[in-house]
Amino acid sequence: MKTIVATDLRLAYGTREVIHGISFEVERNEIFAIIGPAQSGKTSLLRCLNRTIDFVPEATVSGSLLLEGEDVRKIRDVYGLRRRVGMVAPLPVGLPLSIYDNVAFAPRCVGLRQKSDLDAIVERCLCQAALWDEVKDRLSSLGTALSGGQQQRLTIARALSHEPEVLCLDEFSIAIDPVTTMRIEDVLKELRSQITIILVTNLVQQARRLADRTMFLWRGEIVEIDRSEVVFSDTPGDRRTYGYVQGTFG
């Protein structure tokens, strides 16, 4: 089953087009990695998917981008769309609230008030983010007082509290140590059975470890999409893929 289907997707900032008519599909319950040099359009693509691109006045999007068969650009409930497509930014952005309230914030926004229900959601999401055992005795402490790696996992827990269909992670490991990165990667492998994960990363080895399939995006165009074992092999479908993976450019 296809969770996302993009057809001739284009994005321009004013007169400068940054995504040039790309088409791709993301399967349900897979980890789909997007790799490529800076300024390739990776983050912009994620922003098209959850419509945060709407915050950029000069941005124009054309083509088709479907989420479970619905045209993302025509969905009227944009806030509902952003609950369906969770986003984790490169740097953890904790709300100036307690650990508990960081996770409970979104459920409360949609009207959930029963404490027992909120307790269950907070515990579930913190467990899914591999953070529960570290913070269960201090849920009233400020989330912003956690370490960088813990804050990143808290951000993931907060995204999961929406019960998203798709979880987008944009360079989640950019500011955390390798040990914590590996812990979060283990979390993502477990989450794959429940949701679809789109992973933007500049770490090609991370994409190799995690992704079922990988897309190489370069200058707003798709160079190659294939199973990760093919993309990261010695004989990918395009010589530019091999050059980028080997570090000869980008």
Side-chain angles (χ1 to χ4, degrees), residues 127-154:
C127 284
Q128 287 177 318
L131 189 56
W132 174 253
D133 288 340
E134 296 171 36
V135 301
K136 62 184 178 182
D137 297 323
R138 49 181 175 135
L139 295 176
S140 60
S141 300
L142 270 176
T144 51
L146 295 172
S147 70
Q150 289 173 324
Q151 285 193 57
Q152 189 64 282
R153 281 178 283 155
L154 180 61

Side-chain angles (χ1 to χ4, degrees), residues 21 63 102 135 147 149 184 192 206 210 250:
N102 260 271
V135 301
S147 70
I184 297 176
R192 173 170 36 192
Q206 184 174 75
L210 280 178

Side-chain angles (χ1 to χ4, degrees), residues 93-225:
V93 182
L95 300 174
L97 303 169
S98 70
I99 296 168
Y100 183 100
D101 288 338
N102 260 271
V103 183
F105 182 82
R108 283 177 175 147
C109 284
V110 295
L112 192 62
R113 294 290 182 267
Q114 188 71 30
K115 188 176 186 305
S116 59
D117 293 336
L118 290 170
D119 288 348
I121 290 171
V122 169
E123 181 173 353
R124 172 179 60 81
C125 294
L126 289 173
C127 284
Q128 287 177 318
L131 189 56
W132 174 253
D133 288 340
E134 296 171 36
V135 301
K136 62 184 178 182
D137 297 323
R138 49 181 175 135
L139 295 176
S140 60
S141 300
L142 270 176
T144 51
L146 295 172
S147 70
Q150 289 173 324
Q151 285 193 57
Q152 189 64 282
R153 281 178 283 155
L154 180 61
T155 304
I156 292 173
R158 194 169 72 236
L160 292 173
S161 71
H162 297 270
E163 298 187 351
E165 299 164 34
V166 179
L167 180 64
C168 299
L169 298 109
D170 188 3
E171 299 288 359
F172 75 87
S173 58
I174 194 170
I176 53 178
D177 62 273
V179 173
T180 301
T181 295
M182 295 301 290
R183 292 191 64 184
I184 297 176
E185 289 183 9
D186 289 340
V187 167
L188 298 179
K189 291 174 186 176
E190 293 181 10
L191 287 173
R192 173 170 36 192
S193 64
Q194 304 167 45
I195 58 177
T196 302
I197 297 171
I198 301 178
L199 173 70
V200 164
T201 180
N202 282 326
L203 304 176
V204 294
Q205 293 302 324
Q206 184 174 75
R208 185 201 294 263
R209 288 192 300 267
L210 280 178
D212 300 293
R213 292 187 303 135
T214 297
M215 177 169 78
F216 176 30
L217 195 63
W218 186 36
R219 296 178 179 174
E221 296 181 348
I222 296 172
V223 174
E224 184 167 357
I225 304 176

